[in-house]
Amino acid sequence: MNSRLLLVEGLPCSGKSTTSAWIASLLSSENNVCFVDEGSGNHPADYEFHALAPAGLLSKESQIVSLSQFSGAMFEKLLPYKIYDGLDWETERPLMLEKWQEFVASAQKEKDTVYVFNCVLLQNPMCETMMRFGFSQEESRAYIERIVKIVRPLDPIVIYLKNDDIANSIQQTSQSRPGWLESVINYHICGQYGKSIHAKGLNGFLDCLKERQKRELEILSQLPVKKLVVDNPQRNWPTALEAIKKYLQST
């Protein structure tokens, strides 16, 4: 396998974390692997829980800081400047692209390392461009294409877990994550896309996810990257993982 960057994508509860960890384990027998899951903290290519502190709040100049370093009153002061969820798109976009550029520059120095990332190429950009800001599919695609252009030196591979059992997967996952379902429902129905389709409650949330998956698959089909779409892996995980293994061995 020549790729040095593998990206696992799909809807929430599609098995991305499990699959990306499995891929990292699979590759580790022959490679130095850096596996970064969703919500892991300081992601080398993403700002998961960071804020752009304005000049005068922490120092004379604006600076990017991890919100995990703060609590109490200062945390509350920084929260409106959270890069995801807080900043306007014109401010957020160049910060995110610069982060990707920094990652690739660093990765090119670590020539023996293979990176396995969960959800940063499609899910996170789509949550911002589509769900939060209500941008069109073409606007989302243009932004994702910019990321792909940046990471092209790493010969990326995208593994997409397509899920036609979205409602069932969400229901099963919510049973083990108290409070999670209410949080994600509110995020989706209160964003610009959710408002545009008058999304309400669980059904509105599911409608948002169905459309997001449709757009992601269409965007992915147009991206100049190696890709494998795995249909409904949750119905037969051993078969799905074997298909992924064979694909990676053939690239």
Side-chain angles (χ1 to χ4, degrees), residues 46-54 57 63-68 75-89 91-92 95-96 128 132-133 187:
D46 193 43
Y47 287 123
E48 294 180 317
F49 197 55
H50 290 70
L52 179 63
L57 184 57
Q63 60 178 308
I64 296 173
V65 295
S66 172
L67 287 168
S68 62
F75 178 85
E76 295 300 325
K77 289 181 180 179
L78 286 167
L79 199 56
Y81 304 102
K82 187 171 180 284
I83 294 176
Y84 282 139
D85 306 328
L87 301 184
D88 62 85
W89 181 240
T91 304
E92 175 187 331
L95 292 177
M96 299 306 302
E128 289 294 278
R132 182 179 171 213
F133 292 109
Y187 172 83

Side-chain angles (χ1 to χ4, degrees), residues 74-179:
M74 183 54 70
F75 178 85
E76 295 300 325
K77 289 181 180 179
L78 286 167
L79 199 56
Y81 304 102
K82 187 171 180 284
I83 294 176
Y84 282 139
D85 306 328
L87 301 184
D88 62 85
W89 181 240
E90 292 306 312
T91 304
E92 175 187 331
R93 180 177 179 274
L95 292 177
M96 299 306 302
L97 293 176
E98 183 178 5
K99 183 68 169 176
W100 277 104
Q101 290 167 343
E102 291 173 354
F103 158 66
V104 171
S106 176
Q108 288 181 301
K109 297 177 183 178
E110 302 291 336
K111 297 185 182 298
D112 296 329
T113 301
V114 176
Y115 298 85
V116 181
F117 291 165
N118 175 9
C119 78
V120 292
L121 179 67
L122 294 177
Q123 174 177 282
N124 292 1
M126 290 299 286
C127 282
E128 289 294 278
T129 61
M130 176 187 174
M131 294 300 172
R132 182 179 171 213
F133 292 109
F135 293 165
S136 68
Q137 181 172 321
E138 286 305 304
E139 289 172 302
S140 296
R141 181 180 62 80
Y143 173 61
I144 293 168
E145 283 180 342
R146 285 292 304 275
I147 299 174
V148 168
K149 184 176 181 179
I150 291 170
V151 301
R152 189 172 297 164
L154 303 181
D155 193 17
I157 296 174
V158 179
I159 306 295
Y160 193 97
L161 308 179
K162 181 176 179 289
N163 188 354
D164 294 322
D165 303 324
I166 301 172
N168 185 55
S169 296
I170 294 292
Q171 182 180 22
Q172 290 185 9
T173 300
S174 65
Q175 294 174 359
S176 61
R177 298 183 188 176

Side-chain angles (χ1 to χ4, degrees), residues 2 6 20 22 43 63 65 79 81 85 110 115 167 185 191 193 195 209 231:
N2 296 320
L6 286 90
S20 52
W22 179 86
H43 197 294
Q63 60 178 308
V65 295
L79 199 56
Y81 304 102
D85 306 328
E110 302 291 336
Y115 298 85
I185 285 175
Y193 177 75
K195 291 178 179 178
L209 291 185
D231 286 321

Side-chain angles (χ1 to χ4, degrees), residues 52-56 59-64:
L52 179 63
S59 66
K60 293 182 180 180
E61 299 181 353
S62 63
Q63 60 178 308
I64 296 173

